[in-house]
Amino acid sequence: MKALKQSEVNELIQFHQSGQFQLTEKKAKSLLEDFPQELILHNILGVALEAQQKFQEAADSYRNALKIQPQFAEMQFNLGSVLYQLGDVAGAIDQYQKAIQIKSDLVVAYFNLGIAYQSESQFDKALSAYRKAIELEPGFYEAHGSIGTVYLLQGEFDQAIQSFKQSLKIQDHARGHFNLGNAYRNQGHLEEAIQSYRKALEKNPQDAEVCSVIGDALWHQGEIVEANRWLR
């Protein structure tokens, strides 16, 4: 009986890692004709399709993998991710929950579950998912930032500021400073907001969104000349 060679799998992985996604797709499909039950081929194909934003085909590939091995948590997660990209939020939530049932410490599944709930304005569930991600990985600065974003959406500005600061304490990043600036701005603290926006621009000077909000904040503070420089 013919068996899939490890060298063939390694070649596929190398194609994908070098960004040759179309070639990866073509080779994976060809190998699947001979080895339709090889889980890794379905997974590599799905990842290559996802990289090309062929999300429906990627979902089909992940489903084929799950027919072979239903208790594969990471594959349930992958399927959830592409369903979310396709706008099927309920389907994504279901897949993330299945992944967690199989592997209760799959941090990214809790994080993405939080994102899905947040997109549906189910804020309490989103917060619960983000907190679980942090419980499993305390240094997960993106989850701290996402908690801050939920609080910001709920108008809980003090709690939002606390979460954004915690995120920035772990990792100094442009989006964190931008979000912190927005929280200060919503409180009416223009000077603090501008300072945060400046820090965001130090990290990413070409961010048009930050340029716009700092220009607006400076305008309202009466710094018209500098405001115009950012608003151009």
Side-chain angles (χ1 to χ4, degrees):
M1 182 177 178
K2 189 177 180 182
L4 178 64
K5 296 177 183 177
Q6 185 59 45
S7 60
E8 294 174 312
V9 175
N10 292 342
E11 184 182 47
L12 272 181
I13 294 171
Q14 288 172 2
F15 286 148
H16 185 269
Q17 290 177 338
S18 64
Q20 300 181 72
F21 304 126
Q22 290 182 337
L23 182 57
T24 307
E25 175 189 350
K26 181 180 177 180
K27 293 284 188 179
K29 286 179 175 178
S30 176
L31 286 169
L32 277 166
E33 291 179 4
D34 294 324
F35 309 105
Q37 294 300 306
E38 284 290 345
L39 184 68
I40 192 169
L41 294 180
H42 290 287
N43 185 41
I44 293 173
L45 175 58
V47 172
L49 290 165
E50 195 173 346
Q52 298 174 77
Q53 298 188 355
K54 297 179 179 180
F55 297 122
Q56 188 58 64
E57 290 180 65
D60 292 340
S61 187
Y62 293 140
R63 286 191 178 102
N64 287 333
L66 288 166
K67 289 176 185 177
I68 299 168
Q69 189 173 327
Q71 297 300 305
F72 193 164
E74 287 80 3
M75 201 68 67
Q76 299 282 5
F77 171 82
N78 287 349
L79 178 55
S81 295
V82 293
L83 290 176
Y84 185 81
Q85 292 291 339
L86 288 165
D88 183 3
V89 180
I93 288 171
D94 183 56
Q95 293 305 137
Y96 295 144
Q97 289 174 334
K98 286 180 179 178
I100 290 165
Q101 287 170 3
I102 297 166
K103 191 173 183 179
S104 61
D105 62 349
L106 190 60
V107 177
V108 289
Y110 288 104
F111 182 66
N112 278 30
L113 181 61
I115 292 172
Y117 279 134
Q118 183 179 327
S119 74
E120 295 289 281
S121 298
Q122 297 186 52
F123 296 132
D124 288 343
K125 289 183 177 180
L127 287 172
S128 178
Y130 291 141
R131 286 176 182 140
K132 184 62 180 179
I134 291 168
E135 178 186 323
L136 292 167
E137 189 177 317
F140 199 162
Y141 74 91
E142 295 98 330
H144 285 285
S146 293
I147 287 176
T149 299
V150 172
Y151 282 137
L152 192 61
L153 291 168
Q154 292 180 312
E156 302 287 348
F157 303 129
D158 287 337
Q159 289 172 286
I161 287 169
Q162 183 179 353
S163 293
F164 292 141
K165 284 183 175 180
Q166 181 60 35
S167 176
L168 287 164
K169 184 178 179 181
I170 298 167
Q171 176 70 41
D172 190 18
H173 57 112
R175 180 53 50 173
H177 289 294
F178 173 71
N179 288 336
L180 181 59
N182 287 339
Y184 281 132
R185 181 72 190 273
N186 275 282
Q187 285 188 321
H189 297 156
L190 278 179
E191 184 58 41
E192 290 87 345
I194 290 166
Q195 289 175 7
S196 292
Y197 294 145
R198 289 191 195 281
K199 289 179 181 178
L201 286 168
E202 287 174 8
K203 296 287 181 183
N204 186 6
Q206 304 304 317
D207 191 320
E209 186 178 15
V210 184
C211 290
S212 175
V213 294
I214 194 174
D216 182 71
L218 286 163
W219 180 276
H220 283 87
Q221 200 182 37
E223 302 290 342
I224 309 301
V225 174
E226 187 179 3
N228 286 334
R229 180 167 65 87
W230 290 110
L231 291 169
R232 283 182 187 141

